[in-house]
Amino acid sequence: MHHILCGLAANPALSSELVDHLISIADHDIAMDLACRSDLSHVQAVALAERVDGSAVQLAYEGRLTAADIEPSVRPDAALALLDQGAGRPEWARLLAADPVRERREKLAACPGLPSDVVDTLATDPDVRVVAELALWTSPDVAARLAAHPHAEVRRGVAGNEATPPAVLAALLTGEGLPAARRCLVCDREETPFVHDRQCPRLDCELPPGASCDGSHESTVHDIREAALRNPATPVEAVVGFVDHPSMLLRWPLAARRDLPRQACVRLAVDPVPGVRADLAENPVIDDALIRTLAGDRDPDVRRRLAHHPRVPLDVLTQLARTAKIGNTLLPRVATASPAEVEELAKSPDPAARMLVAHLRNLPPEIRDRLADDPDAKVVKALAPHPGLTEAQLRAMVDRHGVRVLAKVATNPDAPPALLEELVRHSPTVQKVFREVARHRGATASALLVCLADKQARPIAARHPALPPPVVVELLADADGQVREAAAANPSLPPAVISDLVHQR
């Protein structure tokens, strides 16, 4: 019954009176579905928050509750949700800054626009994790002040804060100009020297795997540097010196930076770690020469990521389409291709090039129609979801290429109901077809009945409004809870049945 009530809570056909009744009996799961309803009134939102306290946070984030609806001493988490959106009251922040629950003070520290006295209170919080969270999100002047904090964990927060002044980030990266940190989370908890076992059996242990301290707080200092290297506000002059650093974790963040000089990119292009080269391959900062170098990389992920580079030359992209597993996707370079380039790709004798352009969904009709007749199944499969294709074209695709294109034809928004019915009865079957037809807006009752026989498509089909009401009612007794919930959410469920189900509780 619980699955059914959750489904009913999401059913768009539920009347306002029945929504009221569900609110009166709601538990946490039902409340989460009710909170997502677009027709939930403000009065109902307030009643739901009263009924299920946990729903108040979601309702606050969705704008269903205002500051006038929340008493922070009663619902501190909902108050935090509004403060997080900048919609709370300053006095709430002062109250929550003294909350005995550390996690709430930590959440408060990440909220924007806090009063200066609250910031000062959080900056001296007895739990360093609260101060570290403040350091990660606070203003430039407060971040600069916290960069000299005696605890290394706070400095790590400052290093990750994009509002931290560049000169301060450079100092955190090199350590120059700042007093040495005196504590870290490791020496707070353990006698030094200490190295945390990566397979630590202690259930109450909060130290990260491999954390270590010999008095120099080395693992946290490493983390500070990594955070600063990932921070786009850190000056490039300070980061380039790490391009040959022995730590992979410090070289890796450089590969994604958009401000790297060419020589640094050249060094990273031969990095021994494939992940570093892969991040570099997708970075818009690399030039054509490096793109062509990386196109011959031995690692398939590097080549796959290079295909997503926004400026990869079309000849290189065509080569990558042959050798890398790019996936069934529209690539950025193709999405921005000029009309002449689109025509060039579409007329290419290489099916890999034609497949790339077939993923565009705004092809000129003459190019679309030419690709619809392509002899290569991969090209047709990429094109099949394109809007504007006629029934005759879609049927011709199926006749020529069979199971290789069935699922993609089923995703076409213009696929007519009669064709969808034929696709689910095609022999041999393609399992994905059932799922695609089950979610297609043009699916007929007869096609959906076939989809119900497939385990994965069954819950999708159970929610489709074209399913006959008697069948939807039968599915309320299905052995699978997902199917029962989907059927209960189906707007085709008869109103009398909906009312009876709601009042059974």
Side-chain angles (χ1 to χ4, degrees):
M1 189 62 191
H2 188 262
H3 283 288
I4 290 175
L5 291 173
C6 287
L8 290 170
N11 194 317
L14 201 67
S15 68
S16 180
E17 292 75 19
L18 292 179
V19 170
D20 289 338
H21 187 79
L22 274 183
I23 289 172
S24 71
I25 62 171
D27 62 9
H28 179 270
D29 294 333
I30 297 170
M32 293 304 103
D33 286 308
L34 287 168
C36 293
R37 293 185 64 89
S38 61
D39 60 351
L40 196 72
S41 70
H42 178 252
V43 171
Q44 288 172 327
V46 172
L48 184 59
E50 291 284 347
R51 168 69 187 182
V52 180
D53 188 62
S55 68
V57 172
Q58 183 178 351
L59 290 164
Y61 271 117
E62 293 189 4
R64 303 298 182 87
L65 297 178
T66 67
D69 301 319
I70 293 173
E71 170 52 55
S73 60
V74 178
R75 293 194 179 85
D77 294 322
L80 279 169
L82 284 184
L83 285 168
D84 190 34
Q85 297 175 91
R89 294 172 174 167
E91 59 267 27
W92 294 359
R94 297 185 179 97
L95 175 69
L96 291 164
D99 195 290
V101 178
R102 185 261 302 173
E103 288 81 4
R104 288 194 184 121
R105 303 196 307 277
E106 204 169 353
K107 173 76 173 175
L108 176 66
C111 292
L114 294 173
S116 58
D117 59 312
V118 174
V119 171
D120 291 340
T121 299
L122 294 171
T124 57
D125 195 276
D127 194 308
V128 72
R129 291 169 291 187
V130 175
V131 187
E133 188 69 12
L134 176 70
L136 182 60
W137 301 105
T138 194
S139 61
D141 56 328
V142 177
R145 172 160 48 100
L146 291 176
H149 196 280
H151 204 288
E153 191 67 17
V154 175
R155 299 185 184 201
R156 180 166 73 162
V158 175
N161 187 340
E162 294 186 16
T164 300
V168 175
L169 290 168
L172 286 167
L173 197 56
T174 63
E176 296 176 6
L178 291 174
R182 296 198 295 269
R183 303 294 298 175
C184 70
L185 291 180
V186 179
C187 58
D188 280 349
R189 293 165 169 77
E190 305 289 345
E191 291 287 335
T192 57
F194 178 82
V195 178
H196 188 220
D197 185 353
R198 292 187 178 276
Q199 307 297 327
C200 180
R202 293 183 295 177
L203 297 178
D204 61 342
C205 184
E206 296 182 353
L207 288 176
S212 63
C213 182
D214 60 4
S216 65
H217 325 298
E218 64 272 15
S219 68
T220 311
V221 169
H222 186 282
D223 291 345
I224 290 170
R225 289 177 170 173
E226 184 180 350
L229 290 169
R230 293 187 184 280
N231 194 327
T234 304
V236 67
E237 307 82 45
V239 309
V240 291
F242 287 81
V243 74
D244 291 313
H245 197 279
S247 170
M248 168 193 73
L249 294 176
L250 297 186
R251 298 194 310 274
W252 204 325
L254 299 181
R257 290 189 63 103
R258 304 296 178 89
D259 55 358
L260 281 184
R262 187 179 192 280
Q263 194 52 42
C265 294
V266 170
R267 296 290 306 134
L268 293 173
V270 294
D271 194 279
V273 178
V276 174
R277 303 196 306 275
D279 276 7
L280 181 71
E282 208 169 354
N283 192 334
V285 77
I286 63 174
D287 59 22
D288 282 7
L290 275 177
I291 288 174
R292 293 184 182 278
T293 297
L294 289 167
D297 197 281
R298 63 186 180 276
D299 188 86
D301 191 49
V302 175
R303 300 195 304 275
R304 182 185 64 81
R305 298 279 294 279
L306 184 65
H308 290 263
H309 192 283
R311 290 186 295 98
V312 58
L314 292 183
D315 64 310
V316 175
L317 187 55
T318 300
Q319 171 195 336
L320 293 169
R322 293 190 220 107
T323 63
K325 293 183 178 179
I326 295 173
N328 190 33
T329 185
L330 175 63
L331 296 173
R333 177 64 181 86
V334 178
T336 58
S338 68
E341 288 173 329
V342 169
E343 180 69 29
E344 176 189 344
L345 287 169
K347 286 185 174 179
S348 171
D350 190 337
R354 303 196 303 274
M355 178 185 69
L356 289 171
V357 77
H359 284 293
L360 278 171
R361 294 294 171 258
N362 59 347
L363 289 170
E366 63 275 11
I367 294 179
R368 179 200 64 205
D369 294 344
R370 189 192 320 150
L371 293 175
D373 292 329
D374 200 280
D376 192 287
K378 291 189 179 73
V379 177
V380 175
K381 182 178 177 181
L383 183 79
H386 197 293
L389 290 168
T390 66
E391 179 176 0
Q393 287 173 316
L394 293 171
R395 288 184 179 279
M397 290 177 177
V398 173
D399 292 340
R400 285 198 309 272
H401 302 289
V403 295
R404 291 173 292 180
V405 302
L406 288 188
K408 288 299 178 183
V409 169
T411 67
N412 190 292
D414 300 321
L419 177 57
L420 296 176
E421 290 184 16
E422 292 177 26
L423 293 178
V424 297
R425 293 182 172 86
H426 190 278
S427 181
T429 60
V430 175
Q431 296 303 119
K432 193 175 181 182
V433 167
F434 300 120
R435 300 194 296 276
E436 298 298 350
V437 172
R439 60 172 62 96
H440 198 288
R441 65 188 179 190
T444 62
S446 57
L448 292 168
L449 290 173
V450 177
C451 294
L452 287 173
D454 180 79
K455 184 177 180 181
Q456 291 182 313
R458 190 173 178 86
I460 304 171
R463 191 182 286 261
H464 200 292
L467 202 62
V471 177
V472 180
V473 173
E474 286 180 16
L475 292 172
L476 294 171
D478 197 88
D480 187 327
Q482 279 188 307
V483 176
R484 296 197 301 274
E485 185 168 337
N490 194 320
S492 293
L493 198 62
V497 175
I498 293 177
S499 180
D500 288 345
L501 289 170
V502 169
H503 287 102
Q504 280 181 23
R505 274 288 303 270

